Amino acid sequence: MLTALADRIGHWPLPSNIPASESQKFRRAFDSVDLALRKTIQYLRLRAEGRGPIVEEEYKLSDLWSKACADTAPVDQQLSDLCFFKGLGWSDPKKWEDADARQLDISISNMERNLIYLSRRLGRAINEKKTPNWFHIAGFLFAFLTFVSLLYLMIGPSLDPNRGRIFDAWLAFCLAASFAFIGGTANATGHLPIPLLRDKPMQFSVGGGIAVFVITLLVLNVFS
């Protein structure tokens, strides 16, 4: 029942004003580097099979790496520099000596490693947009309220049974809310990887929050 409720609430639409510019920048950078790298590998394979240099194709590769340089600049300046010298070299191989002089590794294997790293950053940028921006603030607010409530429970005056039950419900709610907001964001960004719910941060938040609420109430009732 908890899973069904979490799944249902998790499909509620997120606020439409969440900016997507950051993930779009990473997507543009990834696509440009991926295309330039694949075309370069294809061309080098033709050369390895005995084909002679094709100047027109090398100029096209230079343009592709130049575009990759521009597209990666907003998200990864170091990778942008690598793409810049990679592109210059396809226009004039002597320019690759400049990269060596600057100790820049523009080999295919290193560009592949950079592309993999860029894809991971793209994934994080996309997942961060699956939770509203205010989740962070709400999470820490309820975490603070949980701390204050626990402090009151330890050093505050005793409560009569009726007020005690209300206080227990309040404490359970604060703890559940802080877990839901902070945990949902952490799971979406990969800091708290839950494979089955990695792409469903809202379901994780709701289901996890309900579970924490119920468990906390049970624990408080046992020790009260």
Side-chain angles (χ1 to χ4, degrees), residues 6 18 21 31 50 55 62 66 96 108 113-114 117-118 126 132 138 141 150-151 193 204 206 222:
I18 297 176
S21 58
D31 289 343
V55 177
S62 179
S66 178
W96 282 329
I108 293 296
R113 286 191 293 270
N114 276 274
Y117 175 63
L118 187 61
I126 292 175
L141 173 62
L150 286 172
L151 189 63
F204 174 85
V206 176
V222 169

Side-chain angles (χ1 to χ4, degrees), residues 157-217:
S158 299
L159 299 173
D160 61 70
N162 290 331
R163 291 186 177 180
R165 284 191 289 270
I166 296 175
F167 183 83
D168 290 347
W170 164 253
L171 178 58
F173 174 77
C174 290
L175 186 61
S178 61
F179 174 86
F181 291 121
I182 297 177
T185 302
N187 181 53
T189 56
H191 296 95
L192 182 64
I194 310 288
L196 295 178
L197 292 174
R198 174 66 185 275
D199 296 325
K200 300 179 180 180
M202 295 296 287
Q203 288 90 327
F204 174 85
S205 296
V206 176
I210 294 174
V212 170
F213 179 80
V214 173
I215 293 172
T216 303
L217 273 184

Side-chain angles (χ1 to χ4, degrees), residues 40 43 150:
T40 300
Y43 178 74
L150 286 172

Side-chain angles (χ1 to χ4, degrees), residues 85-210:
F85 283 101
K86 194 76 174 175
L88 283 183
W90 284 114
S91 292
D92 180 3
K94 293 182 180 180
K95 295 297 181 179
W96 282 329
E97 297 177 1
D98 295 340
D100 292 336
R102 296 170 182 264
Q103 296 183 335
L104 296 176
D105 185 358
I106 57 174
S107 64
I108 293 296
S109 59
N110 189 52
M111 301 307 290
E112 289 172 343
R113 286 191 293 270
N114 276 274
L115 182 62
I116 292 173
Y117 175 63
L118 187 61
S119 71
R120 292 173 181 170
R121 296 176 66 189
L122 169 62
R124 288 196 294 269
I126 292 175
N127 281 322
E128 284 176 355
K129 299 309 173 186
K130 292 182 180 179
T131 56
N133 292 336
W134 51 266
F135 258 45
H136 304 79
I137 300 175
F140 286 108
L141 173 62
F142 279 105
F144 174 75
L145 292 175
T146 300
F147 172 77
V148 173
S149 299
L150 286 172
L151 189 63
Y152 179 86
L153 185 64
M154 291 185 293
I155 64 175
S158 299
L159 299 173
D160 61 70
N162 290 331
R163 291 186 177 180
R165 284 191 289 270
I166 296 175
F167 183 83
D168 290 347
W170 164 253
L171 178 58
F173 174 77
C174 290
L175 186 61
S178 61
F179 174 86
F181 291 121
I182 297 177
T185 302
N187 181 53
T189 56
H191 296 95
L192 182 64
I194 310 288
L196 295 178
L197 292 174
R198 174 66 185 275
D199 296 325
K200 300 179 180 180
M202 295 296 287
Q203 288 90 327
F204 174 85
S205 296
V206 176
I210 294 174

